[in-house]
Amino acid sequence: MAAGVPPDALGRRVSCGTDYGTVRYVGSVSGTAGIWLGVEWDDPQRGKHDGSYEGTQYFKCRHPKGGSFIRPNKANFGVDFLTAVRDRYGLNDKQDVQYGTGNTVVFGTKTVEFVGMDSVAEQQRQLNKLVDISVRECAVSHAGQEEEISRTCANMRHINLSKNLISSWETIIAIASQVKNLETLNASENKMRFPSTSTFMSSAFSNLKILALNQTEITWKEVLLCAQGWPVLEELYLSSNNITVLERPDNVLQTLKLLDLSENQLLDGNQLHLIAELPRLEQLILRNTGISSIRFPDAEFGCKTKMFPLLKRLAINDNKISQWSSINELDKLPSLRALQCNNNPFMDTEKNPETLIQLIIAKISQLEVLNNCEILPAERRGAELDYRKIFGKDWLEAGGHWNPEKNKPSEEFLAAHPRYPTLCLKYGAPEEGELKGRQPLTLKNQLLTLTIKCPEKPEQKPVEKKLPESMTIQKVKGLLYRLLKIPGSELKLSYQSSKLEGKEVELDNDLKPLQFYSIESGDCVLVRW
């Protein structure tokens, strides 16, 4: 092997300036002198060809212009872990040491504070006190000499190894096995080789609680193989990988509380059934996974599924969910409390954002947080009352009736509105006078320009809002909770007419629209809590 080229160069990760790549070829190139490295770049725009030169294919690339040849002296093959730590924390004895003011010591260009230090040896002993270490983008490629890490950094618990030059999972094991109490490890943005068959189980991760492997090209099969060595893992981040198909985790990941699969293009929503029995899973992040529907076929509407028994927080934003039936299905999850669902096609079916929020709240009975906004009891009550009214005519036409003996809504209606019977039990069947269809924003439904003031909170500046005159007081309250970021308390609304100065009228019926109170543009709504 040529000078400057490691004997195991093939398959190694390298950097060249700010670009990262993988060595796919080491050797001569026809018509040129000396040794070349054929590199497949992470960013295809850095490359020039597909690994072929003048008709000869030297290596292969996924992208037709993802590769190029560089001289070995241009490639950075990286450093060992401790060298990176010393460089990052200003503890490398090769650097020039100058004493700064007070208790600071300047190593090269880094100023590091030490208390009562009087020698470089003493300063280096500070490595032993480091608990939380980050060597992100420090070109770490290997563990270094055996047991050196355990002798030098015995107390590390949290390590950030992201975006380095680590080529294989074995390197991660070689580092972690020397850290006795490792609890958190971030190895993201390292394109690594993972074991494809069951290997010797290391005890390197016996205390590991949090692991991030985002952008590492790991597959789910490889996750399950490696997971045999993660006996107490609680949080696993696998964003932006090659995960398309899931398999049932047998006897692994049984302690997992959080799983992030975002930015992986899953084959379909039914893949979720394969991980539905994870017994302790509380949070599942499925952002931008390409799923178009969610179903829990083991449970009828109105019943709870046995899948995901402890799941409290679910993120399904940025997906392709187009049917409200998937939102109905989420009511089957027994423990669901928080949902993120922005940027899905089903949200385009309702133009009024306030109504959209109300529909979701009414459909999922136990939800407490929607798209990071807390759902207050008054807001839930208003959403459920409005839902009961909006779909009241549909209920009647489908066979619904105020007389319980004659109340036989069709299966089709119940499939579209599974919570409707429960809402009728909770609030009573809707009366004929309050039934309404959805009103489009027409000339009959004019916008009012109102000033919103908080008379008892002078620090809150007045806000001007345009609201439809058909908007109920309950909906106005829901809007104000979010607009003014008011904590959970009961709002009291009143208004002052621009024509009758000093006279204040209470807005005391949540079910009445603004127009009921003869509010006009230019009037002022007063908010108290």
Side-chain angles (χ1 to χ4, degrees):
M1 199 63 73
V5 180
D8 61 347
L10 208 57
R12 285 272 298 267
R13 298 282 292 160
V14 292
S15 64
C16 182
T18 57
D19 295 298
Y20 288 72
T22 304
V23 177
R24 301 293 185 204
Y25 173 79
V26 181
S28 58
V29 174
S30 179
T32 67
I35 296 293
W36 293 90
L37 302 179
V39 178
E40 181 178 10
W41 300 102
D42 294 358
D43 178 4
Q45 293 186 332
R46 169 68 174 80
K48 296 177 180 176
H49 50 67
D50 64 351
S52 57
Y53 179 72
E54 292 191 350
T56 304
Q57 185 93 43
Y58 292 91
F59 62 98
K60 289 183 179 177
C61 291
R62 291 182 219 181
H63 192 278
K65 287 194 180 289
S68 69
F69 293 103
I70 61 171
R71 291 296 191 185
N73 64 347
K74 297 284 187 188
N76 178 8
F77 281 92
V79 297
D80 66 84
F81 178 76
L82 277 181
T83 298
V85 171
R86 289 185 177 116
D87 284 348
R88 167 58 61 93
Y89 292 93
L91 294 166
N92 203 324
D93 54 6
K94 291 174 187 167
Q95 294 175 338
D96 297 329
V97 179
Q98 305 161 3
Y99 286 88
T101 57
N103 290 324
T104 65
V105 182
V106 182
F107 294 92
T109 58
K110 300 182 180 74
T111 302
V112 184
E113 184 172 347
F114 295 108
V115 180
M117 298 292 107
D118 53 16
S119 72
V120 173
E122 187 67 26
Q123 291 142 19
Q124 286 198 315
R125 278 198 281 276
Q126 291 302 299
L127 278 172
N128 229 346
K129 294 184 179 177
L130 287 173
V131 172
D132 193 334
I133 282 183
S134 174
V135 283
R136 176 177 168 81
E137 288 189 86
C138 288
V140 176
S141 62
H142 54 287
Q145 290 179 11
E146 208 169 323
E147 300 306 318
E148 194 181 3
I149 296 171
S150 56
R151 284 197 302 271
T152 315
C153 298
N155 292 302
M156 281 191 296
R157 292 193 176 199
H158 313 284
I159 303 178
N160 183 350
L161 270 170
S162 61
K163 205 169 184 182
N164 277 291
L165 300 177
I166 294 166
S167 306
S168 80
W169 183 244
E170 288 171 7
T171 301
I172 300 287
I173 292 176
I175 294 170
S177 61
Q178 299 182 57
V179 185
K180 190 176 168 187
N181 296 310
L182 185 61
E183 291 176 18
T184 307
L185 174 63
N186 184 354
S188 301
E189 298 175 79
N190 288 290
K191 291 188 191 297
M192 285 183 277
R193 294 184 301 277
F194 290 90
S196 55
T197 55
S198 200
T199 52
F200 160 72
M201 287 328 306
S202 161
S203 60
F205 308 107
S206 56
N207 295 307
L208 192 67
K209 301 275 181 65
I210 300 171
L211 175 61
L213 293 172
N214 305 319
Q215 297 180 54
T216 55
E217 301 193 342
I218 195 169
T219 65
W220 185 250
K221 187 175 182 180
E222 291 165 348
V223 168
L224 296 185
L225 282 170
C226 293
Q228 295 170 44
W230 309 333
V232 296
L233 193 68
E234 293 181 0
E235 297 182 16
L236 179 57
Y237 298 86
L238 298 170
S239 174
S240 306
N241 281 304
N242 287 337
I243 298 169
T244 55
V245 178
L246 301 178
E247 292 175 41
R248 210 176 294 281
D250 290 325
N251 303 317
V252 292
L253 303 179
Q254 300 299 294
T255 54
L256 205 61
K257 292 182 179 178
L258 181 153
L259 177 60
D260 182 0
L261 289 169
S262 55
E263 307 284 346
N264 289 290
Q265 293 308 297
L266 296 177
L267 202 59
D268 57 51
N270 291 336
Q271 294 294 315
L272 303 183
H273 299 167
L274 298 168
I275 56 170
E277 290 174 24
L278 288 171
R280 298 189 190 172
L281 193 67
E282 294 179 7
Q283 184 168 358
L284 181 59
I285 304 168
L286 299 170
R287 184 176 48 80
N288 193 16
T289 49
I291 56 174
S292 57
S293 67
I294 296 174
R295 289 180 66 247
F296 302 112
D298 67 318
E300 296 289 321
F301 284 117
C303 304
K304 297 299 181 188
T305 176
K306 290 179 180 174
M307 300 186 193
F308 298 108
L310 295 186
L311 190 67
K312 292 178 184 172
R313 294 179 290 282
L314 176 64
I316 51 171
N317 30 332
D318 303 309
N319 276 300
K320 298 173 183 174
I321 297 168
S322 58
Q323 301 296 321
W324 279 95
S325 55
S326 289
I327 302 303
N328 292 338
E329 290 282 330
L330 296 180
D331 190 49
K332 295 179 181 179
L333 289 168
S335 305
L336 188 66
R337 298 292 181 272
L339 175 68
Q340 290 183 31
C341 60
N342 280 328
N343 299 328
N344 275 287
F346 82 87
M347 300 187 77
D348 299 332
T349 61
E350 179 54 62
K351 299 303 177 198
N352 185 332
E354 288 300 314
T355 304
L356 180 72
I357 288 165
Q358 285 195 310
L359 291 177
I360 298 169
I361 292 171
K363 281 178 176 288
I364 307 175
S365 59
Q366 298 170 105
L367 209 58
E368 294 171 358
V369 179
L370 176 59
N371 296 327
N372 296 322
C373 289
E374 185 186 357
I375 300 165
L376 299 166
E379 192 175 6
R380 170 162 290 287
R381 177 181 164 81
E384 292 178 344
L385 283 168
D386 254 21
Y387 188 90
R388 171 179 147 277
K389 283 193 298 180
I390 288 171
F391 296 103
K393 282 185 178 176
D394 295 349
W395 172 70
L396 281 176
E397 289 167 8
H401 201 279
W402 293 286
N403 182 342
E405 290 177 14
K406 296 180 181 179
N407 180 30
K408 292 176 182 173
S410 68
E411 288 296 317
E412 190 181 9
F413 178 83
L414 292 175
H417 307 285
R419 284 205 73 222
Y420 203 86
T422 309
L423 297 180
C424 286
L425 284 172
K426 189 173 179 180
Y427 301 108
E431 296 172 22
E432 198 161 5
E434 60 175 326
L435 289 185
K436 61 178 185 180
R438 302 199 207 199
Q439 297 179 343
L441 202 60
T442 61
L443 289 172
K444 292 180 188 173
N445 196 5
Q446 295 285 356
L447 290 175
L448 302 172
T449 303
L450 303 173
T451 303
I452 315 288
K453 283 185 183 175
C454 306
E456 293 170 5
K457 309 277 181 183
E459 69 275 10
Q460 287 267 16
K461 292 183 180 175
V463 180
E464 197 172 273
K465 288 297 285 183
K466 283 187 164 58
L467 303 177
E469 59 183 14
S470 63
M471 195 176 201
T472 63
I473 301 306
Q474 184 60 54
K475 277 193 180 181
V476 173
K477 285 183 176 179
L479 173 79
L480 294 174
Y481 276 121
R482 281 188 292 280
L483 181 71
L484 304 173
K485 296 184 172 61
I486 297 166
S489 53
E490 197 63 39
L491 286 187
K492 289 186 180 139
L493 302 188
S494 57
Y495 86 97
Q496 285 179 335
S497 169
S498 52
K499 295 172 183 171
L500 296 166
E501 204 153 314
K503 189 180 177 189
E504 200 172 312
V505 179
E506 267 193 68
L507 305 175
D508 53 1
N509 189 334
D510 283 357
L511 303 179
K512 297 293 184 188
L514 289 168
Q515 61 201 19
F516 174 82
Y517 292 97
S518 306
I519 296 181
E520 298 177 349
S521 280
D523 290 352
C524 181
V525 174
L526 304 173
V527 186
R528 295 181 175 89
W529 65 90

